[in-house]
Amino acid sequence: MVKKAVSIGEAMIEMSGGTGGSYRLGFAGDTLNTAYYLKALLDADWSVSYFTAVGDDIYSRKMVEFIAGTGIDTGSIATIAGKRAGLYMIHQAEGDRHFTYWRDTSAAKLLADDAHALETALGEADLIYFSGITLAILAAPARQRLIDAIGARRRAGARVAFDPNIRPALWPDKASVAAALTAAADVASIVLPTHADEVPYFGDADAQATAARYLKAGCEEVVVKNGADPALVVTHDGSWTVGARRVESVVDATGAGDSFNGAYLAARLSDASPEEAAKAGHATASVVIGHHGALVPKEVLG
């Protein structure tokens, strides 16, 4: 019997390049990126679906076509009349990438408004994945509805993975961030935070403190990412420090954390230990940062 993984969040239209005033259209998003690597790395015993909402415009349709073309199931994606997909543009300045967003009319902000559609999308899921961005774009009642629905699936036996992926611009204040992330950890089995992102909100002295806080909040397994530095994996049974692979040249770090998450979860779903899964995560991320864009061709993943 095929098992089901569901990733929940916002996919956006990406306009990149900008050379000579010309931009390249693409589609991206943190939870979509992770779904892509899950699909690429899991075997045929697993299906991967993406749950979001899109508009009724041509670019929303193109987005759904793109997602389906990667092998991800799009059957649960809702179409909302009069809405649009969110959009962002990337420009280079002072040697770094900078982002400008247009997401006020994003249909994804309504992804959890329909309780029946939400329950249907998550029904029978063996793995659910979501992020802090997923929570941040939702109105407070919809955010709680999503957390409650995910919690119900965890109690029914599903694994739940959560990346806090804190984006300050999406939140009204620090208290809102802390409350939402703590509530998410309570319904999650696995939490995949980035230590540097957590410090301004929780004051964690080190990665151990970040892991301990999330375990106390209710999850069972924490993977604290720390860029090129080793990741810390902590469960109730032990802890492991797993070094990243050395990369001679970083071409583009976009999607590195998302690809780590996808590879880590794929390994865990394939019965790898937490330590081995973290090694798999680093291996995939090391390939991704050697290529342009968040989604690298599946054939280069090995």
Side-chain angles (χ1 to χ4, degrees), residues 66-153:
F66 169 80
I67 296 171
T70 69
I72 295 170
D73 179 23
T74 59
S76 295
I77 295 179
T79 299
I80 300 179
K83 293 295 183 179
R84 299 289 181 264
L87 178 147
Y88 66 92
M89 299 181 76
I90 304 172
H91 68 277
Q92 297 283 343
E94 299 175 352
D96 200 1
R97 288 157 49 98
H98 297 264
F99 300 83
T100 303
Y101 290 90
W102 291 264
R103 66 192 339 155
D104 288 348
T105 60
S106 171
K109 296 168 71 172
L110 306 178
L111 66 83
D113 281 17
D114 185 332
H116 176 71
L118 178 61
E119 182 178 352
T120 300
L122 301 186
E124 308 303 322
D126 297 285
L127 171 76
I128 296 170
Y129 176 78
F130 68 117
S131 77
I133 293 177
T134 309
L135 299 179
I137 64 172
L138 303 179
R143 184 183 306 142
Q144 189 59 55
R145 186 179 302 115
L146 177 64
I147 290 173
D148 289 345
I150 292 172
R153 282 303 306 154

